[in-house]
Amino acid sequence: MIFEDLPTTPTSEELIDKAFSRAARAGKAKGGLEAQQSMLQTAANIISDNLENVVTAWPDFAYEDDVHPFYYEIADAIVDVDRLRQSLSETMWASRKAREIHQEYQPKLRKTDIDTARKHRKQAFARLADIVEQIDDELLYINESRNDLRDLPEINPDEPTIVVAGYPNVGKSSFVNDVTNARGETASYPFTTKGIGLGHFERDHIRYQIVDTPGLLDRPPQDRNEIESQAVSAIEHLADCMLVVLDPSGECGYPIESQLELRDAIAAQFEDVPVFTVANKVDRAEHWTADVAADYEMSVETGENVETVLDAAVEAIGYEPELPFEE
């Protein structure tokens, strides 16, 4: 996942302390003018290199090749991507400025007396420290963003993906767990306390991803906050097929009319992908409160038609992997 290996970003104080303490050790290893030159070079290099490394560790949000639209919108739902890009830009500016200060002062440390050289080196150190302190807020925001994004669930937006939606307790999680033949992986996004369910299964040697989105697609759009709405928009980039699971028996605690309204809202938002209405609990059809015109009926509890629903989703996706020899 593109955010999990992001390094910790140092504070301005930590970076200054690191640069100047290393510089002091470098100066002790030499003498005279050479010591002053070595101290300046060491301090400037540490500051410039560390700041550049902070920036280059991040993907470039300006290019789709670096950040898939799914992850871009997920990131923007959690942090302010524009603010983050600005912070990274300011940090790169400071990295370059540190090198400029080194280039400006290094000639002044040659062919002069030691007292003058020491004076110039101290001036350079003061300017280096000032540059780093100017971006203290930027470094803090970059590290906060890193902490917010690095633990996102590892969803692969390049794998064919089925997204399962519907009200709570209609059987979504049980369906995901059943078709993946294991307990689905669960991890929490910062915008939902319930956790995203994620599982995988194979058909004809192709791995499919199946996602349950509690806290996002289990209530009407008007009940979602701004962050959750943006997260749902991100899911649009992920879904290759939507399964909207209904409980016509009403045992889930929600009337079928409300469930159908949610289904219609999801179908309207995900109009570019196949959306199937799946009525669950067909084994208790005698308790159904209404005749639902579903695309498929199944019972996760008994296994009836579960594979049929899954096969229909796979067929609707129609995924064909790119072969290495294809142009």
Side-chain angles (χ1 to χ4, degrees):
M1 207 271 290
I2 61 175
F3 302 119
E4 65 183 351
D5 295 326
L6 292 171
T8 301
T9 303
T11 64
S12 60
E13 182 179 0
E14 289 170 342
L15 183 54
I16 291 169
D17 287 347
K18 177 182 179 180
F20 290 171
S21 62
R22 294 271 186 89
R25 289 201 297 271
K28 288 179 181 178
K30 302 180 185 297
L33 295 179
E34 190 178 0
Q36 301 304 310
Q37 295 170 19
S38 179
M39 291 174 69
L40 175 57
Q41 181 173 358
T42 299
N45 284 348
I46 286 176
I47 289 173
S48 182
D49 290 347
N50 276 263
L51 294 178
E52 183 177 355
N53 289 340
V54 165
V55 176
T56 56
W58 284 83
D60 191 337
F61 287 98
Y63 295 96
E64 284 192 7
D65 288 346
D66 269 11
V67 184
H68 188 280
F70 166 74
Y71 273 123
Y72 184 98
E73 293 205 30
I74 285 293
D76 202 33
I78 299 168
V79 303
D80 184 339
V81 167
D82 287 339
R83 164 77 194 281
L84 176 58
R85 290 176 62 184
Q86 181 63 31
S87 294
L88 292 168
S89 177
E90 294 289 334
T91 301
M92 185 59 82
W93 166 83
S95 172
R96 292 172 181 149
K97 198 68 178 175
R99 294 202 183 279
E100 291 176 8
I101 292 171
H102 172 249
Q103 292 167 1
E104 177 184 346
Y105 277 87
Q106 195 67 282
K108 298 178 181 181
L109 304 184
R110 304 189 188 106
K111 297 180 181 180
T112 187
D113 62 88
I114 187 63
D115 290 337
T116 302
R118 188 179 291 113
K119 177 182 176 181
H120 286 314
R121 191 265 302 162
K122 288 182 177 179
Q123 288 177 348
F125 270 28
R127 289 183 60 186
L128 287 170
D130 181 62
I131 290 297
V132 177
E133 287 169 353
Q134 284 185 49
I135 61 164
D136 182 58
D137 288 345
E138 315 309 327
L139 295 175
L140 290 173
Y141 190 74
I142 292 169
N143 200 53
E144 289 172 2
S145 299
R146 174 254 190 193
N147 292 338
D148 289 339
L149 295 174
R150 68 191 301 267
D151 292 328
L152 285 174
E154 188 171 352
I155 293 177
N156 185 349
D158 295 322
E159 285 188 350
T161 302
I162 300 167
V163 176
V164 184
Y167 269 98
N169 304 317
V170 296
K172 304 189 307 293
S173 298
S174 297
F175 174 76
V176 171
N177 291 335
D178 185 71
V179 300
T180 57
N181 297 318
R183 296 297 301 172
E185 307 162 35
T186 303
S188 293
Y189 276 101
F191 40 74
T192 174
T193 59
K194 299 179 182 179
I196 300 296
L198 175 65
H200 300 89
F201 65 93
E202 285 194 3
R203 282 289 187 279
D204 299 324
H205 307 293
I206 297 172
R207 191 167 102 142
Y208 291 82
Q209 194 168 236
I210 186 163
V211 179
D212 179 20
T213 55
L216 292 177
L217 290 169
D218 60 2
R219 59 184 185 279
Q222 62 269 21
D223 292 342
R224 302 173 195 145
N225 62 38
E226 184 178 351
I227 292 177
E228 291 167 340
S229 295
Q230 188 163 348
V232 173
S233 295
I235 299 294
E236 288 186 70
H237 296 290
L238 185 69
D240 296 301
C241 180
M242 291 288 303
L243 299 180
V244 182
V245 180
L246 307 178
D247 174 11
S249 73
E251 294 174 358
C252 64
Y254 300 93
I256 190 61
E257 292 78 15
S258 297
Q259 296 182 57
L260 289 171
E261 287 177 7
L262 177 61
R263 186 274 314 273
D264 292 343
I266 291 171
Q269 182 159 4
F270 290 81
E271 59 183 359
D272 293 331
V273 300
V275 178
F276 293 142
T277 303
V278 182
N280 188 27
K281 304 182 182 179
V282 70
D283 55 309
R284 296 199 281 280
E286 68 273 12
H287 300 297
W288 286 12
T289 58
D291 183 18
V292 180
D295 297 300
Y296 297 95
E297 297 178 355
M298 71 175 182
S299 169
V300 176
E301 185 171 333
T302 67
E304 183 179 352
N305 288 337
V306 167
E307 288 297 318
T308 300
V309 171
L310 198 62
D311 289 342
V314 168
E315 184 177 354
I317 292 173
Y319 180 78
E320 294 185 7
E322 293 185 6
L323 300 177
F325 51 82
E326 288 184 340
E327 295 183 359

